[in-house]
Amino acid sequence: MTRLFYDGTFEGLLTTVFEIYEHRLAHTKLEKGECYTSAMFEDKIKVITDETRAARVLKGLQQKLSPDGIQRLYIAHMAELDKEDDTLIGFIRYAFDSLMNIEEDFGNKYVLRVSEIVGFMRREKHRMEAFVRFQKLKDGSFYAAIKPDFNVLPLLNRHFKSRYADQKWIIYDIKRSYGLYYDLHDTQFISMEFSSINKPDKVIAAYTEDEGVYQNLWKNYFNSTNIPARKNTKLHVRHIPKRYWKHLPEKI
Amino acid sequence: MNADKVTEKLNILADAAKYDVSCASSGSKRQNHNKGLGNASNGICHSYTEDGRCVSLLKILLTNHCIFDCAYCVSRKSNDIKRAAFTVQEVVDLTINFYRRNYIEGLFLSSGIFKNADYTMERLVLIAKKLRTEHNFNGYIHLKSIPGASDELMREAGLYADRLSVNLEMPTEEGLKLLAPDKNRQDMIDPMNFLKKEIIQNTEEKKLFKKAPMFAPAGQSTQVIIGATQEDDQQILYMANHFYRNYNLKRVYYSGYVPVLSDSRLPALNTTVPMVRENRLYQADWLMRFYGFKVNEIVDSRQPLLDLDIDPKLSWAIRNMQAFPIDINKADLQMILRVPGIGVESANKIVKARNFAKLGWDQLKKIGVAINRARYFITCKSTDFERRDLTGTKIKQFILAESHSKYLKNTQTQLSMF
Ligand code: SF4
C-alpha cells in the first residue's frame, strides 16, 4: 500500500495518476495535504502538481471517455469528499485499463459511485438555483448569501448569468468565503471584507427601501398560497431541508 | 406603490388562485435576448408550501369578482367574500420584483370573469404584453384562457405567453352542467382546438423561418377537479387520454376537491381531500405518458377504480402475472419499465450497464431498484430468485405486509412516484 499526498486540485489528481502509472503502483491511498512521516515502513509519495503531466493524463482520458464523462469526473472531484479521492483514482484506472468507454458501466462500483457523487452535486446546484434569494442593495445591485453543502458556486455561473443579464448581482458562499460577481458584462470570483457588524448574511444597512416591502409581500404570498386542508409537513421538509431556511425570507 | 393595499390584494387574490394546482414552469425554450430579464427553460421550484406543493410561479387572480356562480369555486358570485382587483401595473411590478429576487420563474395569471369573457381576457393579455415588450421580460408566463374569449385575443395571448390553459373543471359534461350551470363545455373546447391549430401552424412556420415568433412554446394544459362529482377513475383517465391525443395537451392536472363551500350538490364540508386518489391518478397519468401504458391497461370496465392500496403499476403487474418473470439482462427497456420497483432512471441504467457485464441483485440494488418489490417479477445473474408460483394476490399481500407500517403512517403523505 502506497500513500500519496496531493494538493487537492484537479491537476493534482491527474498528476497523481501519472505517478501511479510511472511507478506501477498497484495499491494506493490518496490523501489531501502535507505528507508527515510517522510509520517508518510505509511507502509514501508527495505528489507535486505538474501541469505537463496532468495535461498528458487528461489527453489520455479524452481518448477513453466522452467530454461529458470528463466533465462528470471533474464535478465529482469538486464535491471535495475526503474519502472519495480513491474512488476517482479507481474510476480513472478502470477507464485506462479498459478497451471500451466504461462511463456507463453502472455495474462497476467506481462508475456507480462517481455517478452518485455527481448526483449530489447536481442536486445541490439545483437547490441553489432555487433557493438563492437576492436582496436589492442601495446601489441597485442584488446580493444573495448561500451556504451550500458542496462547493457548487462555480456551477451556478451559467444559469444566473443567462437569467439575470440586466442586473448586477453577487452570490456569496459564506461557508467557503468567496463569491461570484456579475457586473452586467461578465462574472468573476471575488472575496469580500466584512466588518464584524455587517455579517455577510445580513447586509441590512445597504438595502434599498423597498427591499423589506417585497420580502414582506413574498412572505404573504407564500402563506396565502398554502392550502391548510392539505398540510403535509414531512413532504415540505423533504423538499426544503431545515438547514436552508435561514436564507429564505418566507421561512424566517 | 401603496404597500398595505397591495399586500391585502395579494392575500385575497393568491388565496383565491391557489386551488389551481398547476404550477409547472418547464417546457418553454424562451431564451434571454438583448440582455433582458430572465429566461424560461428549466422549471425550478423556488419554494414549497407547507402542504408540500411546488412554488414556481406567482399564481394570482387579476380579480376575484365574477359574474358566474360555479358551485365548487370560492370566487363564485353568490359567495359572500372580500373582493379585490389588481391594476395592470401592480401585477407587472410584483412579477418583475419577485423575479429579480429569484423568488419565482414567472407569472401564472388567471381571473374571475368580470363584465364578459373578452373584457377579462383583454386585461390578462395586456399584462403579458407589458411584461414582454416594456420590461423585456423573458421569464415564464402562463395565462388562463377565459372560455368564450375571441380568437383574436387568444392569438395575441399565444404570442406573449409560454403556456395557455383552459380548465375543463369537471371530468364530464354532466358534472359541469350540475356544478357550473353558467359554463358550457363547448366554450372550453373551442379555444383548445383553436390553440392546438395555432401551435401546429406555428411549429410549421418555425421550420421554415427561424425568426417566426414563438406561439405558446410550452403548449396548453388543463385541470379537472376530482371528487366533487361522481365520475370514476376510468371516466377521468379516458377523458385525459382523449385530450392528450386529440388536443396535444402537455399536461392534465387532477385537483382533489377541497371542500370550501356548503352546497347540496357538493361533498359535505368535513369531507377529506382525496389526496391518495389524486396521487394514484397522477401515477396513472405518468404510466400513460412516460411508461408506454395504454389507458385500458390501467383501468377498464372491470376495474373502473384505481387501487388505493397500491400504485397502478404494481396493480397492472399482479393482474398480468403471465408476463413475468422477465430476465433483467435480456428484456427490452419497455418491459423493464413495467416492473414494479424500477423507475425510468434505473431502467435506463440497467440497459446501459448490462452491455458490460450481467447484473446481479447487489448491483440492481445499488442502481436504485426497489428489490423488495421487483424481486417477484424478475430474474438476474443469480440462482437466487423467487421460485414459488405466487398469485398476484399473494404478492400484493407480501408487498403490503412489508411496507405496512410505513404505509399506515404515510397514507396521507405518499406522493412519490414509483
Ligand atoms: S367562472 Fe371561474 S372564477 Fe368564476 S365562479 Fe366559475 S370557476 Fe370561479
Side-chain angles (χ1 to χ4, degrees), chain B residues 16 61 63-78 83 110-114 146-147 167 169 179-180 182-183 225:
Chain B
L61 301 188
T63 177
N64 64 344
H65 288 285
C66 191
I67 55 173
F68 281 4
D69 206 31
C70 310
Y72 49 83
C73 175
V74 276
S75 305
R76 69 175 181 179
K77 182 175 64 183
S78 61
R83 306 280 168 173
S110 177
S111 183
I113 300 173
F114 49 108
I146 305 297
N167 282 357
E169 311 288 12
L179 296 184
D182 307 317
K183 280 185 178 165
I225 298 170

Side-chain angles (χ1 to χ4, degrees), chain B residues 152-177:
Chain B
E152 226 7 84
L153 278 169
M154 293 296 288
R155 187 173 295 124
E156 223 194 325
L159 289 178
Y160 303 120
D162 294 283
R163 172 168 283 181
L164 292 163
S165 65
V166 184
N167 282 357
L168 287 164
E169 311 288 12
M170 292 299 142
T172 57
E173 197 161 354
E174 295 70 54
L176 189 71
K177 270 214 184 89

